[in-house]
Amino acid sequence: MNICEKQHRYASILNNLPDSQSSDEGRHLCAGCAYEKGYSDGLNNQKCKLAELNLPYSQAGTGRHKSAQAAYDLGWQEGNQKYCS
Ligand SMILES: [Zn+2]
């Protein structure tokens, strides 16, 4: 199992995400990695399914128990604003 050990720059952003205990929203997946993936996908104006991203797991830090889907969507919106501007 792949465990994320990055110090995510977006940790404070992740605080505002909803908690998730639902496996189909990416429970225990790293929300920080999901955010970064979403951001780069937004920049390229493409969207991936969470299951396709091959995200590492995270059991610690700000992103713990946060919805990886919500993190991806948030990053995507911010990246896509740059794509559109
Ligand atoms: Zn991560």
Side-chain angles (χ1 to χ4, degrees):
M1 186 185 294
N2 196 7
I3 304 274
C4 179
E5 293 180 352
K6 285 186 194 169
Q7 296 286 330
H8 283 287
R9 292 187 295 155
Y10 308 106
S12 60
I13 288 175
L14 301 179
N15 265 328
N16 298 323
L17 292 171
D19 286 332
S20 176
Q21 298 293 329
S22 158
S23 59
D24 58 346
E25 288 180 359
R27 184 186 179 194
H28 291 164
L29 294 176
C30 179
C33 287
Y35 179 91
E36 290 185 353
K37 279 277 194 183
Y39 191 89
S40 63
D41 281 355
L43 274 177
N44 293 312
N45 200 33
Q46 62 181 21
K47 214 156 196 181
C48 295
K49 292 201 172 107
L50 208 58
E52 297 170 341
L53 297 176
N54 205 15
L55 292 170
Y57 287 85
S58 177
Q59 301 280 17
T62 334
R64 187 183 180 201
H65 288 170
K66 297 299 184 185
S67 166
Q69 182 65 65
Y72 178 86
D73 290 343
L74 179 70
W76 196 92
Q77 281 167 18
E78 296 193 355
N80 198 242
Q81 279 174 7
K82 294 218 160 91
Y83 172 84
C84 293
S85 64

